Amino acid sequence: MIIDELVKVFNKADIKIHNFNFKNDNPKLFWEFIKNQTFKGVYIFKDLSKDGIKQIIYVGKAGKFIKSDQTIRNRVDGYLFSPNESKNFPFNDEMNFQFKKFNSKIKYTKEELSLKRNDFSMTTIEIKTDETLSPSMIESFILNKLLKEFGHFPTFNHKI
Amino acid sequence: MCINRTFIRCYGRIFLMKNATQFLKNSFKGGFYFNLIEEFKKNDRYVDFAHETKKSDNINEKFKGVQVIRHKEKNIIYSISSHGTFTRKLNKEPRTSFNSAWKPEERWTPSTILIKERKICRGWKSDRSGDIYNEVYRGFDVKNLTPYDEIYKFLLKIWEKKKNKKDEDHPDNTKPGKKRTQLRQNIDYKKIPELLKINPKIYKEVIDFDKLIIDRFNIDESDKYFTPLFFSEVIRNYFKRNIDEFILEDKK
């Protein structure tokens, strides 16, 4: 719903939406999806077992207003286990999707960081133009809408 | 075009802030910023803080919202800052009030506001200015880390005050570079005005309030539409998009 509003505010030349979930995709395609996020923008992690807007569990950003090297691909790496850390990556030994960590002082348990694989979904908002809008503005817009209009503070966000 | 002429051009235009989406859309229209000031003025949620300090000595320094510091005549925006964020408690529950009612002037780097002196100071260089501070008030030579005993005692006190003490931060275990950083970071902002009188060059630039407009948009926890962070980001993007008209000194 919030993303639909964003699409209405900006035109296709400015932003593009990308989605991934394991329901229809081969797990190997997850890494293909991540590999292709070579642009600046905003990434949203979702837990599809929850209802409506509460599915959004984390909103993050990559890159700047001006042209910058930081991409969603290299930002997202820090949230996931690497092949050296987990043989089934991005899954844990129980073959559930598991986040490695979030940038927060708050410690989460393994259970809190795990989702059934088909419940995990990720949406990215690609910002296609430089010097039009910043990833931090889009990130704060989404978090602002979630909190002020829906009373929702995504589980893994620490600051709004 | 100077800011005040732009202001006059846009004055009186109807500007509605129905919600965050409408606000975002409006930020792509000309005159957005000055319409915003008008809208907030109408609702008694706007203050020109520089002007306010002229009228009264009894200034409430605590501020929740967004502050924009700009030059009165030139189209220079010196800073855009948001004050007030919703965070989580350690038990993971979201706080319903802002984490702290922060006083924007309670910092010295990279810039500061001296309310009593009615000045903003910009361009604190931590190595040069921090070293002057340490030399004047603490009698430390930061470059050579002398007198060693005094510096050790001082750093030990900082370590002891920390809630989350880590062995690697103990002065026995820190390298000279980290010691210098700690000395430069632990400065009492209240002493800055006095130091400025002795050493005016501790800041690159000092600007009198009379040359400035300090826009303060009041946004508290109960605001229906906005968080201060989102509001400030929209304004920052607006100024960045309109670089033909505005010089944005705020480098965020």
Side-chain angles (χ1 to χ4, degrees), chain A residues 54 61 78-79 85 94 99 105 108 117 121 160:
Chain A
K54 292 198 168 140
K61 63 170 189 295
Y79 301 94
E85 294 166 310
E94 292 81 41
F99 294 106
K105 286 175 188 167
Y108 295 96
R117 59 192 261 181
S121 168
I160 295 184

Side-chain angles (χ1 to χ4, degrees), chain A residues 5 132 134 144-145 148 154, chain B residues 21 88 223 225 227 237 241:
Chain A
E5 285 193 33
T132 312
S134 66
N144 184 97
K145 294 277 284 187
K148 291 289 174 179
Chain B
T21 310
R88 280 184 189 280
D223 193 279
Y225 306 122
T227 59
N237 274 236
R241 274 194 302 274

